[in-house]
Structure formats: C-alpha cells, structure tokens
C-alpha cells in the first residue's frame, strides 16, 4: 500500500492565534464572549502537546510518529473532516431520487449589523423566516401545492471575513401534496415541480422580507433585542420603527442556483458547505510582522482570486465574529426532513416514487478521504503493522500509558 501523507499548509489560523492571540484578547478588554474565548484557546492548542496524543511505531521499519489530539472545536479548520464524513453518511440515507435545488437567503447589511449584537435571536429568526417562506410559497396551489424537504446551513461570513449572515438551503424538487396551511392531504401523493424550476425568486424574496421584519418587530416589542452602543438611539419605539420601515422597500437577496444533477451531487455540495468554517488554512498566504495575508474570491470582479492583507488584530476580530454561541445549531431540517416525522415521511415518499430502499453512496472523493483518515499505516514504508502508546496531556489529563496493539486487519 502506498502511504498517503496530507499536505500541511505553510500557515494556519492557529499560528495567528498563538502569535498574536494574547495581545488581541487583552486589547478587546472583555468584549469577547465565552464561546469566542474558548474557540481561540482550543484552536491554539489543537494538535499540540497541550492536548496529549500518542506515538505510533511501525513494527517493520521501526520509525516513530507522534500524533497529537485534535481540539474538536467546530470552528477549527483542522477538525471537521471526520465529523463531516459521519454526518454525510447519515444524510445519504435521507436523499430521494428527485431533483434538488439550492436557494440562498441573505440578510441586508443593516440587519446583519444588528445581528452581531443579537446573534441567537436574529440567527434563529433567519432560519424560521426562510423555512416559513419556503413552506408558504410551496404550499400555494398556484406554485407547487406541496410540502418539500428542506435542509438549511447557516454561514455568517463573506470571502473577506466581513459579517454576511445567510442560509444555504437544499430543497427537494417537489413534495407531498398539501393544503395552503402545509398540512399533507389524504390520500398522500407526490407533487413534482417543473423540471429545472423550483419557485419564483422574487416571490420568495418578498415573502421572506415580510416575515423577517415582522419577526424583528415582535422581538423588539417583547424586549428581546439588545441595543448597546450606537443602537441606543433606536431604543425608543418610534425611532426603531423609523429605522425599520425603509427596510420594507429594499429588495432582499434570495438567490436560486441551478438544480443539482442528482443525489450524489447533493452530497458533494454538502461536503463543501455544511462543516465549513470562516476561513480555511489553505487560503492563508503569509503571517508575519503583525500582518496576515490570505486569498479571497472577489465576486464583484468576475470571481477573480485576489489577496487581502490585514493586521493580525483585524484578522482575529473578523474571525471571532463568526464563532457561534455555545449550543447554537447551525444545520437544521424542515418539512419532510423535520426530525419529528422524517423516517415516516421519507418512507412514504419512496413508496409514492415507486422506489424501495433508496440508497445513495457517498461520492468517491468523500469515500476516499474517509478511508485515508481511518486506515492507519506507516507514512514511510506503508506497513499496517503499527503499535500505539498514549502521550499524557500537558494539562494533566489522565491517559493510559500502556502499549496497545492496533488491529488493522
């Protein structure tokens, strides 16, 4: 077996944190939240002696390799591969042999700024409003007259790391026929959308805008919005209404991409989007002299790849604003994929589609990466005859120090 060694980027986000993180935290003066502080600590220690690890010894060539433990923080660029592979394997069971569509719901800049002060409330509202929009428009008998399956993923960043909250949705190209309230009709039947077309984007945009702004107004009336700093001037109901009203007249961005070619393409897409973090290590170009340079894609200039240089403080400030609050769920399911009735509804859909036991394999690329990550072999000679000994954590975690044989047969 030919050993496959991953190519390690020259620079990592962890390098920026280890070099400049302490000074950044002190300058923030307590403005960082608990989850943001934890993310900085975890990423700085990831795959270092601080978290412990193990030594792998090849019984054939006698070489040793030290492997340190991962931090497993969901914002770490290095700790998503295995989590993503397991999640993809689970999602493969839920795919149907139908067209899938990709729709993106984006918040305007004014709301995005307020969302930085009210992450949980306004990110939750983004999910709820987008899901309610899809449900309402799809249930309209003049549009689709059906309840589709919806998977949503929250992203809060743009290519330049500015705050840009939006949800990517993967929607089935059809669903179970329903009434205008979204209740599945009896007897159930599958209703397909027109080939290559899901729902009109302008309609989705206007309904989404109305639902989201109504939700913002309700949160304000209930006293559930935090208005610190410059937002204090809008604490008065009349002032807040004057700020909110112009947003009803803006065009909100709802973007529908071309439909996927099939379930396997859906999996490839999910592999790229679901467990992505604000910036990958591969995009970093240079970290030196208090500055960080990285590649970004300029969508306003024909998607050209450009290089941006920021001070380390500004880079870390942009990075931590994308750290989600502890316990916040960034991947959610609605409609036919809602957790409460998913298995029952999907089984019904498969029967109506005349397909029994639909099984979708992971795409070759994902499967190959998963196998490389799980099969242990010597990087020098390719042997699988390896033994492993635990290394204690420098933080005092208790680990076994006995020699353990790894079964690779």
């Amino acid at each position: 077996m030919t050993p496959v060694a991953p190519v390690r980027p020259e620079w990592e986000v962890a390098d920026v944190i280890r070099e400049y993180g302490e000074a950044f935290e002190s300058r923030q003066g307590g403005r960082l939240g608990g989850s943001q502080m934890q993310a900085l600590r975890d990423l700085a220690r990831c795959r270092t002696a601080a978290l412990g690890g193990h030594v792998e010894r090849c019984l054939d060539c006698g070489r040793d390799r030290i492997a340190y433990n991962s931090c497993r923080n969901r914002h770490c660029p290095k700790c998503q591969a295995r989590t993503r592979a397991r999640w993809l394997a689970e999602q493969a069971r839920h795919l149907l042999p139908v067209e899938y569509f990709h729709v993106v719901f984006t918040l305007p800049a004014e709301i995005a700024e307020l969302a930085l002060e009210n992450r949980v409330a306004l990110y939750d509202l983004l999910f709820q409003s987008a899901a309610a929009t899809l449900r309402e428009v799809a249930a309209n008998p003049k549009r689709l007259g059906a309840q589709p399956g919806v998977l949503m993923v929250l992203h809060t960043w743009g290519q330049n790391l500015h705050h840009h909250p939006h949800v990517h949705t993967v929607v089935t190209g059809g669903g179970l026929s329903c009434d205008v309230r979204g209740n599945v009709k009896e007897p159930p039947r599958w209703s397909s959308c027109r080939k290559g077309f899901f729902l009109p984007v302008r309609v989705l945009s206007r309904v989404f805008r109305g639902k989201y702004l109504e939700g913002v107004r309700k949160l304000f009336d209930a006293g559930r919005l935090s208005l610190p700093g410059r937002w204090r001037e809008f604490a008065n109901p009349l002032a807040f209404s004057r700020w909110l009203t112009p947003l009803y007249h803006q065009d909100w961005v709802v973007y529908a991409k071309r439909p996927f070619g099939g379930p396997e393409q859906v999996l490839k897409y999910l592999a790229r989007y679901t467990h992505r973090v604000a910036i990958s290590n591969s995009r970093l170009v240079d970290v030196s002299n208090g500055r960080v340079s990285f590649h970004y894609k300029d969508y306003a200039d024909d998607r050209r790849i450009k290089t941006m240089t920021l001070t380390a403080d500004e880079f870390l400030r942009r990075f931590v604003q994308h750290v989600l609050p502890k316990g916040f769920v960034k991947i959610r399911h609605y409609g036919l994929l809602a957790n409460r009735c998913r298995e029952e509804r999907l089984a019904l859909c498969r029967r109506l589609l005349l397909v029994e036991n639909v099984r979708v394999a992971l795409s070759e690329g994902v499967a190959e990466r998963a196998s490389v990550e799980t099969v242990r072999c010597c990087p020098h000679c390719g042997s699988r005859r390896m033994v492993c000994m635990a290394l204690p954590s420098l933080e005092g975690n208790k680990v076994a120090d006995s020699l353990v044989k790894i079964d690779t047969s």
Side-chain angles (χ1 to χ4, degrees), residues 75-376:
H75 302 96
C76 179
K78 295 185 291 188
C79 292
Q80 304 305 306
R82 291 189 179 181
T83 302
R84 180 176 61 239
R86 288 193 296 266
W87 186 85
L88 285 172
E90 178 67 20
Q91 297 308 305
R93 301 191 306 107
H94 302 150
L95 293 177
L96 296 170
V98 297
E99 268 192 323
Y100 280 80
F101 292 84
H102 177 196
V103 185
V104 183
F105 294 83
T106 303
L107 293 182
E110 296 86 348
I111 294 289
E113 188 177 352
L114 181 61
L116 274 174
E117 308 294 342
N118 300 270
R119 297 168 191 267
V120 174
L122 294 188
Y123 290 167
D124 270 335
L125 182 59
L126 174 55
F127 275 111
Q128 294 161 12
S129 300
T133 296
L134 289 170
R135 182 169 59 246
E136 180 178 309
V137 179
N140 188 331
K142 295 181 180 179
R143 306 296 181 190
L144 180 60
Q147 181 189 97
V150 181
L151 182 149
M152 291 189 175
V153 184
L154 173 69
H155 283 184
T156 63
W157 58 85
Q159 281 280 302
N160 55 11
L161 291 185
H162 279 310
H163 190 232
H164 180 64
H166 55 284
V167 288
H168 293 267
T169 68
V170 176
V171 193
T172 55
L176 294 178
S177 58
C178 66
D179 59 26
V180 293
R181 295 184 176 181
N183 300 315
V184 177
K185 293 180 179 179
E186 292 293 341
R189 66 180 181 84
W190 180 267
S191 178
S192 296
C193 62
R194 298 206 315 260
K195 185 172 179 60
F197 178 81
F198 179 52
L199 295 171
V201 170
R202 288 183 65 83
V203 175
L204 291 173
S205 174
R206 291 171 181 174
V207 175
F208 172 59
R209 177 184 62 192
K211 289 185 178 297
Y212 195 90
L213 292 178
E214 180 186 6
V216 171
R217 194 179 295 276
K218 287 181 177 178
L219 288 171
F220 177 82
D221 292 341
R224 293 178 54 196
L225 286 183
S226 174
L227 300 171
R230 80 168 192 87
W231 292 100
R232 289 196 185 96
E233 63 179 289
F234 302 109
N236 178 279
L238 184 58
F240 189 80
S241 182
R242 283 200 300 265
W243 172 79
L244 197 64
T245 299
L247 294 173
Y248 282 96
H249 306 291
Q250 292 184 12
D251 288 330
W252 286 36
V253 178
V254 175
Y255 175 56
K257 297 187 178 182
R258 294 173 59 187
F260 297 105
E264 186 169 319
Q265 284 194 6
V266 175
L267 281 176
K268 289 180 179 179
Y269 165 82
L270 293 177
R272 294 197 308 269
Y273 275 86
T274 54
H275 293 76
R276 181 180 288 181
V277 298
I279 185 169
S280 63
N281 290 328
S282 61
R283 287 175 56 193
L284 295 184
V285 177
D286 184 59
V287 179
S288 61
N289 301 320
R291 294 184 171 275
V292 180
S293 298
F294 60 93
H295 291 309
Y296 73 101
K297 189 181 295 183
D298 189 347
Y299 289 97
D301 189 14
D302 198 26
R303 302 167 65 95
R304 286 185 169 85
I305 302 299
K306 300 182 179 180
T307 301
M308 176 174 288
T309 300
L310 303 173
T311 65
D313 257 26
E314 175 61 12
F315 177 85
L316 290 175
R317 185 196 69 79
R318 294 190 189 187
F319 180 81
V320 298
Q321 71 182 353
H322 305 299
V323 174
L324 296 174
K326 183 178 181 180
F328 187 88
V329 181
K330 63 173 286 188
I331 304 175
R332 305 187 186 186
H333 302 79
Y334 298 91
L336 301 179
L337 297 178
N339 294 333
R340 183 179 61 179
C341 54
R342 179 167 53 206
E343 298 299 332
E344 176 186 345
R345 290 282 172 86
L346 289 180
L348 173 60
C349 291
R350 291 184 180 115
R351 288 198 298 272
L352 293 174
L353 290 165
L354 302 178
V355 177
E356 295 292 337
N357 301 321
V358 173
R359 296 177 182 177
V360 182
L362 291 174
S363 64
E364 290 184 8
V366 175
E368 288 174 1
R369 285 196 297 272
S371 63
V372 168
E373 292 163 358
T374 55
V375 175
R376 295 176 185 268

